[in-house]
């Protein structure tokens, strides 16, 4: 689970009737992050600051949202939650939380007038835990689907999944993936028959306890996309919006002799974790029914 990385917390808000939701990842102080988009139709917030050439290195929270572009409003609630707790980049006017968001399209499977907003983002923060959390058709994965490249008859539920890989010296690399792919985890190959533009995206968060700078985090995010390519076919299409954030909490120093071997170990673990989390997202979604409508809306 992503929460296998000490200090990382995950919370969901789920609307099982409207079939949408959001998932928040809260990071401990000192976390550094970068990220990369490879899909042709992304929906993101504050993504530019993840570039290693940009000044701010820290990240306080990442938000994975349903609701397409409307769902990015959930980030406002996460900002408020962080601000109330004094979390953020120090400025003369007070802390400014660094919150990065990415969305997937789920408007076609439930009630398109219901989307995550500020209250729902805040509720996901309140629900965040440092231990086990639900997966499958919850949070950002509630309305996710896969297999659209083969047409409506091939579409099946996607969801949100997580996986962890471990290295020597206490190294932990974990992934959280909301899979709403155009492609299909079970596909061995073949050519697409349906485009379904604007309805797909796989988004996620990688976390590690390794000490990395922003460039190192970017390399880890890139390897995360390699994991998507292992798990999905097709992937990174012009009709997808595939985007991954990679965050490093910095509690484990990597062996720097040679430095290349150290970062490549993290990258290899990242690719494996993303591949496993992507497969788990779909498996968990199909293994159990969608959440009961009677469940609390902030779970």
């Amino acid at each position: 689970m992503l929460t296998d990385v000490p200090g990382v917390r995950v919370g969901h808000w789920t609307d099982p009737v409207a079939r949408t939701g959001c998932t928040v990842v809260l990071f401990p102080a000192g976390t550094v992050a970068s990220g990369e988009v490879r899909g042709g139709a992304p929906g993101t917030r504050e993504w530019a600051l993840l570039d290693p050439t940009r000044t701010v290195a820290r990240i306080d929270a990442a938000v994975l949202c349903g609701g397409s572009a409307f769902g990015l409003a959930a980030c406002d609630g996460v900002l408020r939650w962080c601000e109330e707790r004094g979390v953020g980049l120090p400025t003369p006017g007070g802390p400014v939380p660094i919150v990065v968001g990415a969305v997937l399209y789920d408007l076609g499977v439930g009630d398109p007038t219901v989307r995550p907003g500020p209250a729902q983002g805040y509720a996901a923060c309140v629900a965040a835990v440092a231990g086990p959390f639900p997966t499958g058709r919850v949070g950002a994965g509630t309305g996710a689907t896969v297999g659209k490249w083969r047409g409506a008859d091939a579409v099946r539920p996607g969801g949100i999944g997580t996986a962890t890989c471990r290295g020597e010296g206490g190294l932990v690399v974990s992934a959280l993936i909301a899979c709403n792919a155009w492609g299909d985890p079970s596909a061995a190959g073949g050519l697409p028959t349906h485009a379904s533009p604007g309805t797909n995206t796989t988004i996620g968060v990688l976390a590690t306890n390794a000490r990395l700078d922003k460039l190192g985090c970017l390399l880890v995010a890139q390897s995360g996309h390699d994991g998507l390519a292992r798990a999905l076919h097709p992937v990174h299409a012009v009709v997808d919006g595939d985007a991954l954030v990679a965050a490093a909490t910095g509690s484990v120093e990597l062996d720097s002799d040679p430095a290349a071997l150290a970062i490549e170990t993290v990258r290899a673990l990242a690719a494996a974790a993303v591949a496993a989390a992507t497969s788990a997202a779909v498996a968990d979604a199909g293994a159990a029914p969608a959440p009961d409508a009677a469940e609390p809306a902030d779970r």
Side-chain angles (χ1 to χ4, degrees):
M1 288 200 148
L2 198 74
T3 50
D4 290 334
V5 177
V8 173
R9 292 176 286 164
V10 175
H12 300 302
W13 171 83
T14 301
D15 188 328
V17 176
R19 293 186 64 183
T20 192
C22 62
T23 298
V24 172
V25 180
L26 301 173
F27 298 104
T31 299
V32 175
S34 187
E36 183 163 285
V37 172
R38 290 197 186 173
T44 61
R45 172 168 168 161
E46 297 283 25
W47 207 268
L49 64 78
L50 294 173
D51 189 314
T53 64
R54 302 298 182 248
T55 302
V56 175
R58 70 179 289 151
I59 188 172
D60 298 307
V63 188
L64 307 179
C65 311
S68 190
F70 300 107
L72 288 171
C75 296
D76 291 337
V78 180
L79 261 76
R80 179 167 66 89
W81 187 91
C82 291
E83 181 186 27
E84 290 174 355
R85 288 153 182 81
V87 173
L89 177 72
T91 78
V96 176
I98 305 300
V99 177
V100 174
V103 295
L104 57 79
Y105 185 95
D106 56 10
L107 301 180
V109 298
D111 183 346
T113 67
V114 178
R115 311 116 178 189
Q120 290 71 35
Y122 191 100
C125 291
V126 172
V129 297
F133 55 88
T135 58
R137 282 184 271 176
V138 295
T142 305
T145 54
V146 298
K148 287 156 279 189
W149 69 302
R150 290 178 165 173
D153 291 342
V155 174
R156 59 194 177 106
I160 195 162
T162 187
T164 293
C165 293
R166 301 177 186 273
E168 296 180 355
L171 176 63
V172 179
V173 182
S174 300
L176 178 70
I177 301 294
C179 186
N180 185 56
W182 184 52
D184 195 316
S186 64
L191 299 176
T193 59
H194 293 74
S196 62
T199 63
N200 320 287
T201 287
T202 296
I203 53 178
V205 177
L206 278 154
T208 178
N209 58 356
R211 183 175 296 279
L212 300 174
D213 59 12
K214 287 183 76 174
L215 179 57
C217 289
L218 175 61
L219 294 173
V220 170
Q222 291 174 342
S223 292
H225 280 286
D226 294 344
L228 290 183
R230 294 178 189 176
L232 297 168
H233 175 83
V235 69
H236 301 144
V238 295
V239 294
D240 276 312
D242 303 334
L244 296 178
V245 176
T249 63
S251 63
V252 171
E253 291 284 354
L254 297 176
D255 184 353
S256 58
D257 186 21
L261 181 60
I263 185 60
E264 291 305 328
T265 297
V266 179
R267 297 183 70 186
L269 294 173
V274 168
T278 304
S279 297
V282 180
D284 292 353
D292 189 341
E295 290 185 4
D298 63 347
R299 300 304 296 171

